[in-house]
Amino acid sequence: MSRTADTRTSGLRPLNGHLQNVADNLQLIADLGYGDVALAVPEDGVLRVVADARPATAVSAIGATRVGRELSPEEEAEAYEALRSALPSCGTRRRTARGIVYATAAYPVVSDDVISGVIVRNLADQVTESPGAMEVAFMGLAERVIRLLCEGPVLDVDTGSPFSTVRRAGDGVMEVDAKGKVAYASPNAVNIMRLAGMEGAIADRAATELPGGATAVAPVVHARGGRAVTVEVAGRVLSYRAIGFDPGALVVVEDVTDVRRREQEIRVKEATIREVHHRVKNNLQTIASLLRIQARRAESDEAKRALAEAVDRVASMAVVHEMLAAATEEAVDFAAVAHTVVDMVVRGMGAEGRARANVEGSTGLVPAASATSLALVLAELVHNAIEHGLKAGSGEVVVTLRRGAEVLMLSVRDSGAGLPDGFDALTSGNLGLAIVRTVVEEDLRGTLAFSSGRGTTVTVRVPMGAEDGRR
């Protein structure tokens, strides 16, 4: 797995567009070149590393990032020679680090006719002494990318924006020569071309003959810049990233057919799940409507009140499913749910203008199952707070939400007279509290606590991992 060039160390001044483009392409150079690479900029006569990368394709002589460090003129003589002479400096002296014998080459980066930085590249003897055909081709391509970047940023040939890419595991690599023919194709590239329907030798074939090559590769062969194109051919989906050297090009290709297929399957499943939530919401709203009709026909006040409470319970769960139907994952922002549920309960009780209900705090994303149970608990607690806590018919109910590393806390506080003497939630006989206690303790595995003073506060604490709240 490729590492990412480290360019974000605090305390370093921002890089100009050219240097940032160099930094963004360092990982490509490191992996193609089988050696660590760094970008250093001159500051008050010394070179300071602002970005570096270590290869995923070989053991690196430099084991840790050097970003932020000054390069010693004695240790990094090649870098200072390139800075002084404005020419590449390919050192012949050998150094040893971590048991690896290596040599250093340095290349001046010129921006607006001024040397703005130096690319420092270390090459291990074990790679350069007896390289195979693939190593020779890859290191040659790394060298060409370096020299291209030294002259100026690599821009997208279509948009003109800075272009960068990396080499991922499984990628195929090809070199296209000045005549637009494939000079080298790695084994991975050959396999990818075969799967895409290409027969015969890949080498010496025109880039336009490659599957999708006329679209993805040909435009950069005689241009200076980069291009990223995804093409579908012979039932395969190929992701091309190419850098043109004017003439010639580096081509990196990845077969993303399976990835695209999995993405499509996931999209279908997500759409199906959203449709299920939509239908559940509709069914719950239908049930709520039926209960309202039944409540209007009930003769006793007690039956009407019981049916109205049932409507709130069903509607609170429908709120969660409504939000899930519009979400891209099986989680919702419970704070948004809480606002909707509280407003719904206040309106359903006809308490607008008499009872003020506010929601404070945030929760982040909460899994669907937990959110549905919490919505039911919240509806019951707010309903109880208005009906029993605010017995005078007016006052304030405050819902507070707080999310910790391992727990979600929900509290409902009213401004009423407080709990009656001897109150016991376990023996109160209140159906709503019985529902709350059962859902909190058995479904959510949480705790329920009551406190009384200036009003009544009911606090629910539910265990919830930090990963459940990631967006």
Side-chain angles (χ1 to χ4, degrees), residues 290-300 303-304 307-308 311:
L290 293 173
L291 290 171
R292 289 190 188 97
I293 293 172
Q294 189 66 42
R296 286 196 294 268
R297 295 189 176 186
E299 296 182 358
S300 71
K304 291 181 178 180
L307 290 169
V311 168

Side-chain angles (χ1 to χ4, degrees), residues 70 75 107 167 258 277 361 445:
E70 292 182 2
E75 290 293 321
Y107 309 80
R167 177 191 169 206
D258 292 339
H277 285 302
R445 306 299 181 191

Side-chain angles (χ1 to χ4, degrees), residues 127-212:
V127 176
T128 59
E129 284 180 349
S130 56
M134 184 171 73
E135 286 80 7
V136 171
F138 282 15
M139 286 189 290
L141 287 167
E143 180 85 12
R144 295 190 72 178
V145 173
I146 289 174
R147 293 182 181 272
L148 187 71
L149 287 167
C150 286
E151 298 170 359
V154 177
L155 303 179
D156 190 293
V157 296
D158 297 318
T159 66
S161 58
F163 180 88
S164 63
T165 188
V166 295
R167 177 191 169 206
R168 294 185 282 267
D171 281 352
V173 177
M174 292 180 282
E175 180 178 4
V176 178
D177 63 21
K179 296 180 180 180
K181 293 186 176 182
V182 178
Y184 173 81
S186 72
N188 278 351
V190 173
N191 289 336
I192 291 170
M193 295 298 104
R194 292 277 185 269
L195 288 172
M198 192 170 188
E199 299 178 353
I202 306 301
D204 292 329
R205 298 282 287 273
T208 53
E209 296 181 45
L210 298 174

Side-chain angles (χ1 to χ4, degrees), residues 14 74-75 80 158 161 182 203 210 216 247 256 266 289 291 330 447:
E74 294 76 22
E75 290 293 321
Y80 284 88
D158 297 318
S161 58
V182 178
L210 298 174
V256 296
I266 290 172
S289 296
L291 290 171
E330 281 291 281
T447 61

Side-chain angles (χ1 to χ4, degrees), residues 307-317 344-345 348-349 376 379 383:
L307 290 169
E309 291 175 359
V311 168
D312 284 345
R313 291 165 189 148
V314 173
S316 67
M317 293 186 286
M344 178 192 68
V345 172
M349 297 181 69
L376 176 58
H383 190 285

Side-chain angles (χ1 to χ4, degrees), residues 158-462:
D158 297 318
T159 66
S161 58
F163 180 88
S164 63
T165 188
V166 295
R167 177 191 169 206
R168 294 185 282 267
D171 281 352
V173 177
M174 292 180 282
E175 180 178 4
V176 178
D177 63 21
K179 296 180 180 180
K181 293 186 176 182
V182 178
Y184 173 81
S186 72
N188 278 351
V190 173
N191 289 336
I192 291 170
M193 295 298 104
R194 292 277 185 269
L195 288 172
M198 192 170 188
E199 299 178 353
I202 306 301
D204 292 329
R205 298 282 287 273
T208 53
E209 296 181 45
L210 298 174
T215 300
V217 181
V220 302
V221 173
H222 295 288
R224 185 192 189 283
R227 197 160 194 256
V229 178
T230 299
V231 298
E232 296 187 26
V233 57
R236 312 300 295 181
V237 182
L238 307 183
S239 172
Y240 280 98
R241 289 101 64 203
I243 294 178
F245 300 127
D246 191 22
L250 158 68
V251 179
V252 182
V253 60
E254 179 183 10
D255 189 327
V256 296
T257 306
D258 292 339
V259 174
R260 284 295 180 88
R261 185 179 297 118
R262 287 194 295 270
E263 290 176 349
Q264 179 62 25
E265 290 173 354
I266 290 172
R267 284 194 293 269
V268 171
K269 288 179 180 178
E270 288 177 346
T272 302
I273 290 171
R274 286 196 295 272
E275 178 61 21
V276 168
H277 285 302
H278 180 72
R279 294 188 181 187
V280 169
K281 177 210 65 172
N282 288 344
N283 289 338
L284 289 171
Q285 289 179 338
T286 299
I287 293 170
S289 296
L290 293 173
L291 290 171
R292 289 190 188 97
I293 293 172
Q294 189 66 42
R296 286 196 294 268
R297 295 189 176 186
E299 296 182 358
S300 71
D301 291 341
E302 183 179 355
K304 291 181 178 180
R305 184 166 55 253
L307 290 169
E309 291 175 359
V311 168
D312 284 345
R313 291 165 189 148
V314 173
S316 67
M317 293 186 286
V319 168
V320 177
H321 286 282
E322 183 175 17
M323 292 188 175
L324 287 169
T328 58
E329 53 188 305
E330 281 291 281
V332 295
D333 182 351
F334 187 72
V337 173
H339 282 278
T340 302
V341 169
V342 169
D343 290 343
M344 178 192 68
V345 172
V346 172
R347 289 196 308 271
M349 297 181 69
E352 305 102 310
R354 296 185 295 106
R356 300 184 305 278
N358 299 309
V359 179
E360 302 173 347
S362 61
T363 62
L365 293 182
V366 174
S370 298
T372 303
S373 298
L374 283 168
L376 176 58
V377 167
L378 178 59
E380 291 293 340
L381 293 178
V382 173
H383 190 285
N384 277 350
I386 295 174
E387 183 176 13
H388 302 293
L390 306 180
K391 289 185 177 180
S394 63
E396 183 179 28
V397 175
V398 178
V399 176
T400 302
L401 304 169
R402 188 165 63 245
R403 182 70 172 269
E406 299 179 350
V407 66
L408 184 149
M409 188 276 287
L410 179 156
S411 72
V412 178
R413 174 175 54 83
D414 65 62
S415 60
L419 295 172
D421 293 338
F423 173 82
D424 185 350
L426 294 176
T427 60
S428 68
N430 183 290
L431 176 60
L433 290 182
I435 292 174
V436 169
R437 187 172 66 254
T438 300
V439 172
V440 170
E441 296 177 354
E442 297 184 12
D443 185 16
L444 295 171
R445 306 299 181 191
T447 61
L448 182 67
F450 294 80
S451 62
S452 184
R454 298 181 60 184
T456 301
T457 301
V458 184
T459 302
V460 175
R461 287 183 171 83
V462 177

